[in-house]
Amino acid sequence: MEKKKAVSAAMRNEAEQFRKEQNQAMEDATTTLSQYFLFTVVMVVVIYMGFCYQEMAKDIERSFFSLPDQCGEQEISQNSSNYEYGLDSLRILGEVQVPKAVQQEEADYEDPQSWILNGNSITKVGGNYWYVAVDTDMSGISGDMLRSWFETVNCSDMYRWWHPKDHSYGVWLTYDSYEASTSLVARQGKIHRVKEKIGRKMHKLDIFFHDPCVGKDCEVLKAQGVELILSGRVHAHLTPIGRVYAGFFIHTLRVDDAGSTLHSRFTMGKNVHCLDHPNSWACSLFDTFQWFIKKVMLSEKNAGAMFIHCREEMFTLGRLLAKLNNVSSRD
């Protein structure tokens, strides 16, 4: 009897063990299927988002390049020689030395006097944004020559003369028509739509030229030899966000007995915000994580890249304007 009980208990134990193994196998199979299902769902979402991203990129690209170039026969005939002249200018300039960045808690860059001071420097202001100052010798170049260039550089061929390695596409639009507050200001109310490389990255930008002298006493700059002021707000086209306000710049040409100097000042990352579809998820994420995006995109390296780009393009422009206007330049 006891032997039968022992056999019976052993069979029950084996049956119980078998049942447990079957249940575990079912749970493992269910878990595996769930994992495969979750992986499939994630992959479908990733592929769909990738497809949407590509479509948005194509839409932005089509919209950005919707305006045709306006090169005439004269610009086309001069293209090869002026393009090579630009390359030669870059070879003459050589490697640009970037100044060491400094920290500054606050600064008043709204004062017109600051537009011609503290050149060739990179400043991190309040740990929040960058201020890049570049001074370029443009001896022999007048305010009228520089004004004429910005009024006639109406196609990509001419835009590439300016910086053959970094400039790719450039056309003009009009967003407003108004008189400048002073004769020093040029191109107010115009948009320069450009594609250019700064550092290693190609950027699609809308540059809204405006009058920076409204509400300011810019006439005092005339007494100091200033002949032209060009200023623009920079809107970057980013996928999938759209247009983002990235900063502004001011170019001030001063002519005195020592020659001509172009004072270029860039404010990068101040009051950055999304401009298109403010209620979209992309803009919401951008504005939410703006501090992180600025830290990644607006680093000291990027400020240095802006310094190099400006030094190269303005040095090249100075030599090109001297060639086009038959005046001697200082290399």
Side-chain angles (χ1 to χ4, degrees), residues 46 67 92 102 132 144:
V46 169
L67 298 173
I92 291 173
V102 298
V132 179
D144 287 340

Side-chain angles (χ1 to χ4, degrees), residues 18-38:
F18 179 76
R19 187 181 64 79
K20 288 181 179 179
E21 290 176 355
Q22 288 293 317
N23 290 339
Q24 184 63 46
M26 287 293 293
E27 289 178 5
D28 291 343
T30 302
T31 301
T32 301
L33 287 173
S34 298
Q35 290 174 342
Y36 277 125
F37 178 75
L38 181 60

Side-chain angles (χ1 to χ4, degrees), residues 206-210 212 230-234 245 247-251:
D206 278 345
I207 302 172
F208 285 70
F209 281 77
H210 66 113
L230 295 154
S231 181
R233 297 183 294 269
V234 181
Y245 174 79
F248 67 91
F249 67 82
I250 297 177
H251 299 306

Side-chain angles (χ1 to χ4, degrees), residues 255-286:
V255 181
D256 54 26
D257 293 338
S260 304
T261 303
L262 184 65
H263 305 275
S264 301
R265 305 292 181 260
F266 300 85
T267 300
M268 302 170 59
K270 185 177 182 180
N271 300 325
V272 172
H273 57 277
C274 190
L275 294 165
D276 287 337
H277 314 299
N279 295 319
S280 73
W281 64 268
C283 273
S284 297
L285 284 176
F286 180 87

Side-chain angles (χ1 to χ4, degrees), residues 166-177:
D166 286 357
H167 290 179
S168 173
Y169 172 85
V171 295
W172 286 94
L173 304 81
T174 298
Y175 74 93
D176 198 0
S177 297

Side-chain angles (χ1 to χ4, degrees), residues 117-244:
L117 299 176
N118 305 318
N120 299 323
S121 61
I122 298 177
T123 306
K124 185 70 173 293
V125 182
N128 187 41
Y129 65 93
W130 291 95
Y131 185 75
V132 179
V134 185
D135 287 349
T136 305
D137 182 0
M138 282 197 169
S139 293
I141 306 305
S142 67
D144 287 340
M145 294 177 189
L146 189 59
R147 184 190 297 266
S148 177
W149 168 259
F150 275 88
E151 290 175 348
T152 57
V153 59
N154 58 358
C155 68
S156 296
D157 281 349
M158 292 184 70
Y159 186 59
R160 284 188 286 267
W161 302 348
W162 189 354
H163 196 311
K165 292 184 177 180
D166 286 357
H167 290 179
S168 173
Y169 172 85
V171 295
W172 286 94
L173 304 81
T174 298
Y175 74 93
D176 198 0
S177 297
Y178 63 94
E179 291 294 325
S181 61
T182 170
S183 60
L184 294 175
V185 174
R187 301 307 280 166
Q188 72 282 355
K190 304 294 183 181
I191 303 172
H192 202 192
R193 174 163 289 181
V194 302
K195 183 179 181 181
E196 63 179 357
K197 186 170 67 173
I198 301 175
R200 295 184 178 181
K201 183 175 176 56
M202 191 67 78
H203 299 269
K204 294 188 285 290
L205 308 172
D206 278 345
I207 302 172
F208 285 70
F209 281 77
H210 66 113
D211 183 353
C213 292
V214 175
K216 302 181 182 70
D217 184 13
C218 288
E219 293 300 312
V220 297
L221 296 177
K222 283 186 177 181
Q224 300 176 60
V226 171
E227 293 191 359
L228 188 69
I229 298 172
L230 295 154
S231 181
R233 297 183 294 269
V234 181
H235 296 176
H237 291 250
L238 303 178
T239 306
I241 299 168
R243 292 181 307 130
V244 171

Side-chain angles (χ1 to χ4, degrees), residues 45 60 62 66 108-109 145 167 178 222 277 286-287 312 325:
V45 170
I60 290 177
R62 282 192 292 265
S66 61
D108 180 17
Y109 297 128
M145 294 177 189
H167 290 179
Y178 63 94
K222 283 186 177 181
H277 314 299
F286 180 87
D287 290 336
E312 289 178 342
N325 291 278

